[in-house]
């Protein structure tokens, strides 16, 4: 690797960079972005919206990138799969700030003051709660939930369990282990794109395929994007194919009309979206029903 190389694929299928890059992560509930050069973590929850911004000291490279995982020397990010929780290892917490609205179109709120409960900091919004817990050894565990109970389920995982779940997801995405570095890394990231599109409700029910983070507020799933994601999921998660077809069928009207996508918001985000939709002349005209996206 030369100084001008932006990134290179490693033999193990991971990607290494000397410089910091935005890390986008998506798990069944938790999603967000980590900006290592800023030390800023933007956290969101499927069905709820933007939850909080967490700030730590900035990170230096080199960086090794994997699905839902970033490693920079002794520092690392690991995102769990079974609960909306992630682990920051080797980071020093600076601040926790709750989101002021669930999405750009949501009502601007005055957030509650972040509360401290021992080693925990709690950021509460009308649509959910984020809990940041500093554990022995300096690990920072961050969980979010539509309710405190959901966030607590995430905090019930140990650091070792979070790391193991993340590692298992990385291994599952490695679908061409015998390929050369470039093809292997492309296959890893492609499998991750499909698998991470599978989203869940608070109670664990299948709640659609996400077209990407930018398409999660209002929470929705698309006919066209679902079609392309399903090409890989037919082999990787065939049971999800039926669930997606069933969800998309709910958007079809008796005369065969269908929207661009079906809205699947949680209760609080749904209330905010409906308030915005009916009071915006442009959006009311183009989004004909509360469950229709375009």
């Amino acid at each position: 690797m030369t100084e001008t190389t932006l990134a290179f694929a490693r033999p193990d299928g991971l990607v290494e960079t000397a410089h910091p890059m935005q890390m986008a992560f998506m798990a069944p509930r938790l999603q967000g972005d980590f900006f290592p050069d800023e030390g800023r973590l933007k956290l969101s929850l499927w069905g709820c919206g933007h939850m909080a911004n967490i700030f730590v000291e900035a990170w230096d490279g080199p960086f090794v990138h994997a699905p839902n995982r970033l490693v920079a020397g002794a520092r690392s990010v690991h995102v769990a799969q079974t609960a909306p929780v992630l682990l920051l290892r080797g980071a020093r917490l600076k601040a926790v700030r709750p989101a002021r609205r669930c999405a750009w179109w949501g009502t601007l709120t005055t957030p509650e003051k972040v509360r401290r409960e021992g080693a925990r900091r709690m950021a509460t919004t009308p649509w959910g709660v984020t809990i940041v817990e500093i554990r022995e050894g300096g690990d920072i565990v961050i969980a979010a939930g539509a309710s405190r109970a959901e966030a607590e389920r995430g905090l019930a995982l140990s650091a070792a369990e979070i790391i193991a779940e993340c590692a298992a997801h990385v291994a599952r995405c490695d679908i061409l282990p015998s390929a050369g570095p470039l093809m292997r890394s492309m296959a890893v990231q492609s499998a991750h794109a499909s698998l991470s599109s599978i989203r869940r409700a608070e109670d664990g029910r299948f709640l659609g395929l996400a077209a990407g983070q930018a398409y999660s507020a209002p929470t929705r799933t698309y006919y066209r994007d679902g079609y392309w994601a399903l090409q890989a999921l037919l082999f990787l998660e065939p049971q999800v194919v039926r669930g997606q077809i069933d969800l998309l069928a709910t958007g079809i009207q008796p005369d065969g009309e269908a929207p661009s996508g079906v809205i699947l918001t949680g209760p609080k985000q749904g209330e905010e979206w409906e308030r915005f939709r009916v009071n915006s002349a442009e959006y009311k005209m183009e989004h004909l029903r509360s469950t229709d996206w375009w």
Side-chain angles (χ1 to χ4, degrees):
M1 181 175 67
T2 67
E3 290 184 357
T4 57
T5 303
L6 294 178
F8 74 91
R10 302 178 358 154
D12 60 3
L14 306 184
V15 176
E16 187 167 340
T17 65
H19 60 286
M21 295 180 62
Q22 175 183 346
M23 173 199 181
F25 57 88
M26 282 176 54
R29 288 283 285 166
L30 199 66
Q31 65 182 54
D33 299 277
F34 179 57
F35 303 86
D37 54 333
E38 303 174 20
R40 178 166 63 94
L41 177 70
K42 182 179 180 181
L43 207 63
S44 296
L45 197 66
W46 183 250
C48 295
H50 185 203
M51 302 295 289
N53 288 301
I54 293 95
F55 298 87
V56 298
E57 289 184 336
W59 292 14
D60 297 320
F63 300 89
V64 179
H65 308 260
N68 286 349
R69 186 178 73 196
L70 179 67
V71 178
R75 297 170 172 172
S76 55
V77 184
H78 308 262
V79 183
Q81 288 291 113
T82 62
V85 61
L86 62 81
L87 167 71
L88 290 175
R89 173 153 284 179
R92 191 177 76 83
L93 183 65
K94 295 174 64 177
V96 179
R97 297 175 185 169
R100 300 189 65 189
R101 61 176 101 203
C102 65
W104 67 264
W105 40 261
T107 302
L108 187 65
T109 65
T110 301
E112 293 184 24
K113 184 178 180 180
V114 174
R115 302 198 317 275
R116 293 187 181 230
E117 295 183 0
R120 293 182 173 186
R121 299 187 188 186
M122 301 188 60
T124 303
T125 68
W127 52 92
V129 60
T130 302
I131 306 176
V132 180
E133 181 177 88
I134 300 177
R135 296 187 177 175
E136 186 177 354
D139 284 343
I140 302 173
V141 177
I142 304 169
S147 62
R148 177 159 183 173
E150 183 180 20
E152 291 285 358
R153 288 198 294 272
L155 291 173
L157 293 179
S158 68
E161 288 171 325
I162 295 171
I163 291 172
E165 286 191 9
C166 185
H169 177 67
V170 174
R172 189 181 185 198
C173 293
D174 191 14
I175 58 175
L176 288 179
S178 62
L182 181 59
M183 181 61 71
R184 185 177 182 182
S185 67
M186 291 174 66
V188 166
Q189 296 300 329
S190 295
H192 173 53
S194 291
L195 289 169
S196 66
S197 72
I198 303 171
R199 313 316 298 274
R200 301 285 175 184
E202 182 179 0
D203 62 4
R205 288 177 298 109
F206 173 68
L207 197 61
L209 299 179
Q213 291 193 49
Y215 303 92
S216 62
T219 303
R220 56 197 186 270
T221 191
Y222 290 88
Y223 292 85
R224 61 184 184 276
D225 298 86
Y227 172 81
W228 290 111
L230 288 179
Q231 305 310 302
L233 294 177
L234 281 167
F235 301 93
L236 298 172
E237 282 280 358
Q239 71 276 14
V240 167
V241 177
R242 179 172 183 169
Q244 179 70 358
I245 292 171
D246 287 343
L247 268 182
L248 292 175
T250 65
I252 300 175
Q253 300 302 310
D255 63 357
E257 176 196 341
S260 177
V262 178
I263 293 178
L264 306 165
T265 57
K268 292 298 182 181
Q269 190 191 81
E271 292 172 7
E272 284 293 305
W273 166 249
E274 188 63 6
R275 185 181 298 112
F276 173 78
R277 184 185 74 86
V278 300
N279 288 293
S280 169
E282 178 184 1
Y283 276 77
K284 184 178 181 180
M285 179 178 66
E286 298 291 350
H287 301 73
L288 303 182
R289 305 172 187 86
S290 62
T291 58
D292 282 5
W293 179 256
W294 296 114

